[in-house]
Amino acid sequence: MRVFVTGASGWIGSAVVPELIDAGHRVVGLARSEASAAALTAAGADVVRGTVDDLGVLRDTAAASDGVIHLAFKHDIAFTGDFQGAAEADRRAVDAFGDVLAGTHRPLVIASGVAGLTTGRVTTERDMPTIDGSPTSIRATTSQAALALAARGVRASVVRLSPTCHGEGDHGFLATLVATARAHGVSGYLGDGTNRWPAVHRLDAARLFRLALDKAPAGSVLHGVAEEGVTIRDIAEVIGRHLDVPVTSVDPADAAGHFSWLSGFLALDVTASHTLTSELLDWRPTHPGLLEDLDKGHYFTAPAA
């Protein structure tokens, strides 16, 4: 299968590409820079130059492909205050793919997240997002629009990822927590630290995207969740042990000053399961869990970039 992958050189995409190639697929990756193009070529993928805003490129490449995995998201502007702009660009891209793939019954797999779907209970694949008009709900409407493409003859599925997709080379949430602990000389958590994050190793997540491409039925919601919830205090304790710094509670009133942009995410209490996903696709996470991965030490070999 010729597979078009956006975000192919990103954190998840750079694991999805070799997963697809090892399974016998030919990959065409979207690259917005020379460095991304070089990385994709080195991984054995073909390259098309462009960004998620180049809708003509997206349409043409999708039309010439047997399936699409859409991972690109404008995190650079999302984390600097324009989440709405990033979410709107994502929606335009998914709509462009839907127009091209309608009636072909080819697969379209998009990435989303499990955070914020429910409170007070374990989130399952049957839970749907609340659409309330907020900027963050725009991305939820995109996942709903993707699922609705099943009625237009697209084998569309949504992979909802854990807040923490960990592994060696990660520069996301966990790496930011490590960098924050270094900077402040303490490994912090909010309140009593009992709030939780689901987690998945990026290599397990990559395998799930490949399985979704290969065989997920149209309209499937899948959970890239290996662990239902790991407490933030447990995470802080591993970080404190490796950095040899105290582990301490941070008053929620001081969260923004201590954790910066990460403070809102640290306040979340999210649990999610992958039971239905495993039953549907026989997906069984096999790589280290979050705390075990942290204990391997690679998050602490150098300051996070």
Side-chain angles (χ1 to χ4, degrees), residues 32-58:
R32 63 177 181 173
S33 69
E34 290 292 345
S36 294
L40 289 172
T41 299
D46 297 329
V47 175
V48 60
R49 291 297 300 271
T51 74
V52 73
D53 293 317
D54 295 324
L55 300 184
V57 173
L58 301 187

Side-chain angles (χ1 to χ4, degrees), residues 3-8 13 16-17 20 27-30 40 67-71:
V3 186
F4 179 33
V5 181
T6 72
V16 170
V17 168
L20 293 173
V27 174
V28 180
L30 183 69
L40 289 172
V68 176
I69 296 179
H70 175 51
L71 304 173

Side-chain angles (χ1 to χ4, degrees), residues 4 62 66-70 93-99 101 104-111 145-147 149 154-159 212-213 216-220:
F4 179 33
D66 301 306
V68 176
I69 296 179
H70 175 51
V94 170
D95 286 345
F97 290 137
D99 289 342
L101 298 176
T104 67
H105 301 284
R106 297 175 190 168
L108 168 64
V109 186
I110 77 164
L147 294 174
L149 291 171
V154 181
R155 187 162 61 81
S157 60
V158 173
V159 175
L213 177 88
S220 298

Side-chain angles (χ1 to χ4, degrees), residues 79 176 180 184 254-266:
F79 287 141
T176 301
T180 301
H184 290 279
D254 300 324
H258 188 93
F259 295 108
S260 185
W261 62 268
L262 191 59
S263 59
F265 294 99
L266 279 176

